[in-house]
Amino acid sequence: MSDLPLATHQRNRPGAALFTVLLSLLLTAAPASALDDPMRPPSFDPGGRVGSAPAGPSGFSLTSTLVSPDRRVAVINGRTLAVGERIGGAEIIEILPDRVRIRRGKKESTLTLAPVNVKEPVSADTQEAKKP
């Protein structure tokens, strides 16, 4: 390299300034929400809800719960809620591992998670029993 300061060296490259301006215009022209994310699940809703679990007759969709000694939270209609919080005019009154109880006015309802079918690995005993 030459002994010229970096600023002088940059000034001798007029294409670099034009490239920087065009790049900044390109990045600010499209909002981030308009860009496709290749890692986004196919059922993703930009409103913050995952469309895999349809809302039940109450209009609420329970997609997950977290129950630990420190906290209890549930994901309902894409929002993470704790006991005592409200969603759509209903109050969360209890969070259990597989269901959530809510109260809307004087009416109580229970939202349940869909059962998960877990396949069990085949043991050696089961394989031996199936042999002819």
Side-chain angles (χ1 to χ4, degrees):
M1 280 202 73
S2 67
D3 293 334
L4 296 174
L6 183 60
T8 306
H9 186 69
Q10 290 288 339
R11 270 190 240 129
N12 292 336
R13 297 178 55 206
L18 179 61
F19 176 76
T20 304
V21 170
L22 291 176
L23 182 63
S24 64
L25 287 173
L26 178 66
L27 292 176
T28 58
S33 62
L35 301 176
D36 279 340
D37 180 1
M39 299 303 290
R40 181 179 64 212
S43 62
F44 178 77
D45 176 12
R49 297 180 308 271
V50 176
S52 60
S58 64
F60 296 113
S61 173
L62 175 65
T63 53
S64 69
T65 60
L66 171 72
V67 178
S68 73
D70 298 332
R71 67 182 183 152
R72 289 175 178 255
V73 293
V75 178
I76 301 172
N77 293 359
R79 288 184 47 203
T80 303
L81 303 159
V83 173
E85 292 186 307
R86 301 182 73 81
I87 181 169
E91 180 184 4
I92 310 299
I93 48 179
E94 184 179 28
I95 298 175
L96 299 169
D98 63 339
R99 63 188 172 275
V100 173
R101 288 183 38 229
I102 61 172
R103 181 185 306 128
R104 185 184 281 177
K106 293 184 179 184
K107 183 180 177 187
E108 288 189 13
S109 301
T110 301
L111 308 175
T112 57
L113 288 171
V116 177
N117 295 328
V118 177
K119 294 183 179 179
E120 295 185 22
V122 178
S123 67
D125 297 334
T126 306
Q127 289 178 349
E128 289 296 323
K130 289 185 178 182
K131 285 185 178 179

